[in-house]
Amino acid sequence: MKNFVLAILLLFYTGQLFAQNVSPREIVKKSLLKTTGGKQMKSFKLVTTFDRPGTVALKQTQSGPMRDLMESPKSIAPDSAKEQMANEIKRAGENFDKELIAMYERLVDVSIADFNLQKAVNLRIGLTSAEDTSRTVMEVSDGKMDAFLLNNPALMLQYMAADTVELHYTGLTNVGNEDQYIIQVKIGGKWVEVMIGEESRLVSQIVIPQVDTDPLMGKGPVHYKESSLFTNYNKISGLLLPSGLELTSTSFGVKAKYNLAWSHINESFPDSTFVREPTPEEKAQFRFTDIGNRLSVMELTGGNFGGMRTLVVESVQVVDLFTGFVYNEAIIGKMRRALAEKFPGKNIRNIFGAETVSWVQALSDLFDVGTELHFPKGLGVMSEDQLRRYNPKEDSTWRARLSDGTLHPFETGFVKDGYRILMLNSNPNPNYEQWQACYYLSNQKVIYVNGYLGNEEKERSATPWEKRLYEVITREGLAVEKIVCPGALSRDAPLTISYEELRLRVTAQ
């Protein structure tokens, strides 16, 4: 028995000595030579487009606080309700998967970097709609290359080959039927694992450990990993570069495949490529769409502020607004100027908010003489006392506006100038749940909804909020022709849907 134990120990220490004798720098240098042929990557352009979901697309691969929270009500529900709750959770997950995939399908990322100029630019197209483009210009130096290293095998190897960079060889693993060297390197304060094929000598995978120290739900911290799997290497301008990328996160289980198109390797770019990007406030614009009956929808475009949509009701002398808010004074100032240009000489009479107002000061440009702001009363952490208690200036603004009759927080039963509030949750939990409110415009036979009602697919299942809205309309016997401003997560949402579309969607189930 002792001889057996000694044999095992000898085998273990022999393996340890072998691992210590393997030079990670030599592995990296051989991989770098195979990848670049002795060249150095000094500039490039990379276009990344969505290919398709991976084998575990958009599914959670590990338990987490959010998943546990979604499942917890089911565990304490009566048996008669458990099956219905399970079906609702499943349907919500499937709808979210479809929306998320549709969002990925629309996205195009373009990265351009010139390391001689030490400048880079990233363009993201289609984040919230097909026309939205965000553009970020950055300085690139030795201390600001994390994002480029983690998505560019050639750059990663160039970085790792430097004698000043600390490397650790941790052993072999098998990925894709090939043994892979695992080498650790520190990037942005984290030890990252880089896998290099023993035979191919190409970077196959980069694994990044992550820690969410402040998760949305739960006490945390939550530990997870993000990995980039590179496939289909091809020679481009003398360098071997991957044309396929598969990204995986063990936190949410997101796994998606992308196509990589490399160009302009070691070519110079004109200075205009890296001109300063306008600020989000400078890029923001408002556009109006007439939907009939003296109604128009005012949309915030630019992609940085959530695509706010405002319903504008025009009368002979004034306008009334139904909206959610962006608490940005520059954006609100632009909004006011756009309204003045579209409706010259007309003051804002009423502003109807579909959610509690968290920052009155930021909305000051919307107040004309006599303007009144109506909105659901805040509850829990969004209550007025909680919102104002740590901000003396905001508190004094609230008190002054309440005193002069500008602010009108309400709960239920609210009616004003022919407009009526509809509460979709009549008994919210006062500790945390907020009122879910929409407005009924009786003269126009229109309901304004701020937020998500779903996309325009007629065959999909109705969401819980659509069902609640339909129940309220039916119970109250309201004459409704259209619903204005349903938002959507993943595509260009319609400005309106007809009541008939809503009815068919709900009653078809």
Side-chain angles (χ1 to χ4, degrees), residues 270-283:
D271 291 339
S272 59
T273 305
F274 306 106
V275 295
R276 183 188 75 85
E277 179 66 10
T279 66
E281 288 79 8
E282 290 170 340
K283 292 172 64 176

Side-chain angles (χ1 to χ4, degrees), residues 71 73-89:
E71 294 288 343
K74 190 173 67 173
S75 64
I76 60 176
D79 292 340
S80 58
K82 284 183 178 180
E83 183 177 355
Q84 181 181 355
M85 292 181 69
N87 290 334
E88 288 289 346
I89 292 173

Side-chain angles (χ1 to χ4, degrees), residues 299-341:
E299 294 182 271
L300 172 59
T301 63
N304 294 93
F305 298 96
M308 180 179 76
R309 288 174 170 178
T310 298
L311 176 61
V312 184
V313 183
E314 181 187 10
S315 60
V316 176
Q317 295 180 324
V318 297
V319 294
D320 294 324
L321 309 180
F322 297 81
T323 188
F325 295 109
V326 171
Y327 298 102
N328 181 303
E329 291 162 298
I331 298 300
I332 294 298
K334 271 195 168 184
M335 181 180 182
R336 187 66 187 93
R337 291 190 292 274
L339 286 164
E341 183 177 345

Side-chain angles (χ1 to χ4, degrees), residues 87 98 130 185 213 258 335 414 486:
N87 290 334
K98 291 178 182 178
V185 58
T213 58
Y258 295 85
M335 181 180 182
F414 172 77

Side-chain angles (χ1 to χ4, degrees), residues 92-155:
E94 291 172 350
N95 287 338
F96 180 74
D97 282 357
K98 291 178 182 178
E99 294 285 329
L100 198 55
I101 289 173
M103 182 183 74
Y104 277 109
E105 288 175 336
R106 193 179 59 231
L107 288 178
V108 177
D109 277 310
V110 181
S111 293
I112 299 173
D114 189 321
F115 300 108
N116 289 328
L117 296 176
Q118 293 192 326
K119 292 184 180 294
V121 61
N122 178 263
L123 292 88
R124 170 160 283 193
I125 303 168
L127 181 59
T128 59
S129 68
E131 68 179 24
D132 272 335
T133 300
S134 65
R135 182 173 179 273
T136 305
V137 178
M138 63 200 83
E139 298 291 329
V140 177
S141 60
D142 291 341
K144 298 180 180 180
M145 292 185 61
D146 299 0
F148 297 101
L149 296 175
L150 297 171
N151 292 291
N152 189 322
L155 284 181

Side-chain angles (χ1 to χ4, degrees), residues 19 51 92 115 193 199 212 246 263 288 409 473 482 486 495:
D51 180 8
F115 300 108
E193 291 183 345
E199 294 184 8
D212 188 350
E246 187 168 312
S263 64
F288 293 84
I473 294 172
K482 68 176 65 173
L495 297 180

Side-chain angles (χ1 to χ4, degrees), residues 423-491:
M423 290 294 189
L424 301 187
N425 56 339
S426 56
N427 296 296
N429 186 313
N431 295 320
Y432 61 87
E433 189 181 358
Q434 296 300 305
W435 297 107
Q436 298 294 331
C438 52
Y439 288 88
Y440 175 54
L441 286 63
S442 57
N443 294 335
Q444 293 82 7
K445 298 180 180 179
V446 162
I447 287 180
Y448 166 78
V449 178
N450 177 57
Y452 180 69
L453 262 189
N455 59 44
E456 67 272 29
E457 294 179 7
K458 294 181 173 58
E459 301 301 322
R460 69 165 177 81
S461 301
T463 66
W465 289 118
E466 287 174 319
K467 293 177 183 178
R468 293 187 191 184
L469 178 59
Y470 178 73
E471 289 171 2
V472 171
I473 294 172
T474 304
R475 183 178 66 245
E476 301 292 330
L478 303 178
V480 179
E481 294 180 356
K482 68 176 65 173
I483 299 159
V484 178
C485 296
L489 168 68
S490 67
R491 63 191 65 194

Side-chain angles (χ1 to χ4, degrees), residues 157-263:
L157 291 169
Q158 286 178 192
Y159 173 78
M160 295 173 69
D163 293 335
T164 55
V165 175
E166 184 179 358
L167 304 177
H168 297 292
Y169 172 69
T170 63
L172 284 170
T173 189
N174 189 274
V175 178
N177 298 320
E178 182 186 12
D179 285 339
Q180 308 281 330
Y181 296 111
I182 305 175
I183 300 174
Q184 290 185 327
V185 58
K186 207 167 193 178
I187 305 291
K190 297 178 181 178
W191 285 102
V192 174
E193 291 183 345
V194 179
M195 299 183 188
I196 299 174
E198 186 178 28
E199 294 184 8
S200 68
R201 295 184 181 177
L202 297 173
V203 174
S204 65
Q205 195 168 2
I206 297 175
V207 181
I208 310 160
Q210 302 283 21
V211 180
D212 188 350
T213 58
D214 186 22
L216 179 62
M217 307 300 301
K219 297 180 180 179
V222 176
H223 296 262
Y224 63 100
K225 291 184 178 180
E226 295 176 346
S227 67
S228 301
L229 178 67
F230 301 99
T231 60
N232 302 325
Y233 274 82
N234 297 291
K235 186 157 285 191
I236 303 171
S237 300
L239 278 67
L240 277 172
L241 296 169
S243 60
L245 169 65
E246 187 168 312
L247 297 179
T248 304
S249 169
T250 60
S251 177
F252 294 101
V254 175
K255 187 173 184 179
K257 296 182 179 180
Y258 295 85
N259 296 314
L260 306 179
W262 303 85
S263 64

